[in-house]
Amino acid sequence: MDKKKDVDDIEPGPAPSRPVDRFGFIKTEQSNSPEGILKSRPTHERGREERRIRKWRKMIGTGGSDWRHYVRRNPHVVKRRIRKGIPDCLRGLVWQLISGSRDLLLMNPGVYETLVIYETSTSELEIIRDISRTFPSHIFFQQRHGPGQRSLYNVLKAYSVYDRDVGYVQGMGFIAGLLLLYMSEEDAFWLIVALLKGAVHAPMEGLYQAGLPLVQQYLFQFEKLVQEHMPKLGQHFIEEMINPSMYASQWFITVFSYSFPFHMTLRVWDVFLYEGIKVVFQVGLGLLRFCHDDLVKLPFEELLHSLRYFPDEATDPDTLFPLAFSFKVNSSLEELEKEYRKRLDGPNASSSSNKRLLPLKSKTMSRAVSQVLSISNVGKK
């Protein structure tokens, strides 16, 4: 338990006084991102936002009491409003409602507290080492051993005990950190459980299990989708020897919460929690479609750089989402999953053409995730 004290028993220092955007990220000198711009909205826009919040409050009811009833009666309205963005003041509650995590919390009173206080994890040192790398430019997580870092430690440690098969993998910190900005520790923990165990959508624990099996599957599916929907770009990737593991792994491991503008991350999570993993594929395809004409002209080095650093216009949700949702991927994803499993299980599974389909050796898993998450610039947040 001494390791626990390292995080919990040290008094936080003074809070930083540098200016922050409306989400709590420290502003850079040259920042003119939508996060900052939205702070000074015209009166008519503020009025429109207030009306939108009233509609959402009516839709979910007190504490979410009317949510299920409204979704059953008006599923298309709910889907449309979620795609337009959940009001920030209601985001934490709605995320819990659409993910199924609120039900898990109510069915498991006291479990989180027990995991945090009375259990020990073999991943504690790894978690402590990685905490300062999670949203380092956000005021909630900046203070060493401060309240944000303590909460992040508690959530990650609790999950590593709750599911010892998964334990802790570095990319989980960005998901836990994102959730902690909108809800309590216990709520964030149960939302991670809901996602990884599949309370509403397909389980996602394979993203973090030894060998990252689900990451491997998603990358295979994504590569095929690019070739199907953008054959010219798909062929250019082949010629330049670019495969999705070089740029898209962290899209899936962190669900766009690592190196993209925060306002885009939030909008992606709104839809992802309601519609499932297909949204990550759609957003990825939308990014490539937006930059398609430039990408097909670039040689390897410039191509790889462009796939890691998209222009601001490409990450504006109001521009990106209509493009992303124009891709209908459900049936293709199902067929590609069958094809992937067939290749893994077939007689030629160990042939050279299928080698990159095989899961990574478990001893290289942490290194692989660390490399994926060091590709992009964390300071971009």
Side-chain angles (χ1 to χ4, degrees):
M1 296 299 290
D2 289 337
K3 293 176 217 165
K4 177 79 163 48
K5 288 181 182 178
D6 287 345
V7 172
D8 275 0
D9 294 347
I10 298 179
E11 291 297 320
S17 57
R18 294 166 64 185
V20 297
D21 66 23
R22 72 189 185 102
F23 296 117
F25 289 93
I26 292 175
K27 287 184 178 179
T28 56
E29 290 282 331
Q30 70 277 17
S31 176
N32 61 353
S33 66
E35 293 98 318
I37 294 169
L38 288 173
K39 251 190 165 180
S40 55
R41 287 175 171 173
T43 304
H44 72 276
E45 286 194 21
R46 288 201 300 271
R48 185 167 59 190
E49 181 67 8
E50 287 168 5
R51 289 192 297 273
R52 195 167 73 96
I53 291 170
R54 285 197 295 271
K55 284 182 183 177
W56 270 89
R57 289 193 188 281
K58 184 177 179 181
M59 190 163 71
I60 63 179
T62 305
S65 57
D66 296 336
W67 175 255
R68 280 198 180 94
H69 179 67
Y70 195 96
V71 171
R72 278 196 300 268
R73 292 187 59 187
N74 304 282
H76 299 298
V77 173
V78 173
K79 182 177 180 178
R80 185 178 72 249
R81 288 183 180 175
I82 287 176
R83 286 188 172 190
K84 286 182 178 179
I86 299 168
D88 206 55
C89 61
L90 299 174
R91 191 163 256 134
L93 172 60
V94 176
W95 281 4
Q96 292 171 64
L97 293 172
I98 61 183
S99 67
S101 67
R102 175 60 66 89
D103 294 333
L104 290 176
L105 183 150
L106 296 175
M107 291 187 293
N108 294 276
V111 170
Y112 176 73
E113 183 180 9
T114 299
L115 293 171
V116 171
I117 297 175
Y118 300 108
E119 299 285 350
T120 58
S121 168
T122 57
S123 302
E124 289 181 20
L125 287 178
E126 285 182 83
I127 295 169
I128 291 171
R129 179 198 66 200
D130 290 340
I131 278 177
S132 62
R133 304 174 187 175
T134 303
F135 296 130
S137 62
H138 196 285
I139 55 170
F140 187 54
F141 299 111
Q142 275 217 320
Q143 291 177 270
R144 185 169 173 77
H145 310 303
Q149 291 195 3
R150 290 203 303 266
S151 292
L152 185 58
Y153 170 85
N154 288 341
V155 171
L156 294 172
K157 180 238 178 174
Y159 193 84
S160 72
V161 175
Y162 178 83
D163 185 350
R164 294 187 186 272
D165 289 337
V166 169
Y168 165 74
V169 176
Q170 187 181 359
M172 297 169 70
F174 285 90
I175 288 178
L178 172 66
L179 299 178
L180 284 169
L181 296 179
Y182 285 89
M183 60 194 73
S184 70
E185 284 182 26
E186 188 172 17
D187 290 333
F189 167 78
W190 286 112
L191 204 154
I192 294 174
V193 173
L195 282 178
L196 270 59
K197 294 301 182 183
V200 174
H201 302 293
M204 294 178 61
E205 57 193 348
L207 289 174
Y208 308 109
Q209 287 172 334
L212 311 178
L214 205 51
V215 178
Q216 304 298 313
Q217 176 191 313
Y218 288 165
L219 293 178
F220 170 81
Q221 291 170 295
F222 188 74
E223 184 173 42
K224 296 296 184 182
L225 287 173
V226 172
Q227 292 169 0
E228 175 188 343
H229 292 282
M230 289 167 274
K232 187 176 178 181
L233 182 59
Q235 183 60 34
H236 186 58
F237 282 163
I238 292 171
E239 291 169 359
E240 295 296 328
M241 300 181 71
I242 295 283
N243 65 70
S245 65
M246 297 175 174
Y247 63 91
S249 296
Q250 54 102 342
W251 299 355
F252 293 102
I253 291 172
T254 69
V255 192
F256 290 104
S257 65
Y258 176 63
S259 62
F260 286 85
F262 197 66
H263 65 289
M264 171 189 157
T265 296
L266 294 175
R267 293 282 299 277
V268 169
W269 271 75
D270 289 346
V271 190
F272 158 70
L273 288 173
Y274 189 64
E275 299 187 33
I277 193 65
K278 71 167 186 176
V279 172
V280 179
F281 289 94
Q282 290 174 306
V283 171
L285 291 171
L287 288 167
L288 298 185
R289 173 75 82 191
F290 185 91
C291 301
H292 178 278
D293 293 346
D294 294 322
L295 294 175
V296 293
K297 301 172 187 173
L298 298 176
F300 178 84
E301 292 291 345
E302 294 175 41
L303 181 56
L304 201 54
H305 182 272
S306 295
L307 290 168
R308 293 170 179 172
Y309 303 98
F310 287 92
D312 289 343
E313 315 88 77
T315 58
D316 175 3
D318 293 330
T319 301
L320 175 62
F321 279 16
L323 204 55
F325 299 140
S326 70
F327 293 101
K328 309 306 178 188
V329 298
N330 281 344
S331 58
S332 293
L333 286 175
E334 290 175 10
E335 291 303 315
L336 288 169
E337 181 178 355
K338 292 175 187 174
E339 181 183 341
Y340 177 79
R341 302 209 172 279
K342 197 179 205 179
R343 292 194 184 196
L344 278 185
D345 300 335
N348 298 320
S350 60
S351 68
S352 59
S353 62
N354 286 324
K355 274 185 179 176
R356 68 176 173 174
L357 300 180
L358 298 174
L360 303 169
K361 298 293 184 184
S362 58
K363 67 179 181 180
T364 68
M365 177 178 63
S366 296
R367 191 187 321 139
V369 174
S370 181
Q371 287 171 348
V372 164
L373 296 179
S374 64
I375 283 173
S376 302
N377 181 4
V378 181
K380 191 175 178 183
K381 284 279 187 186

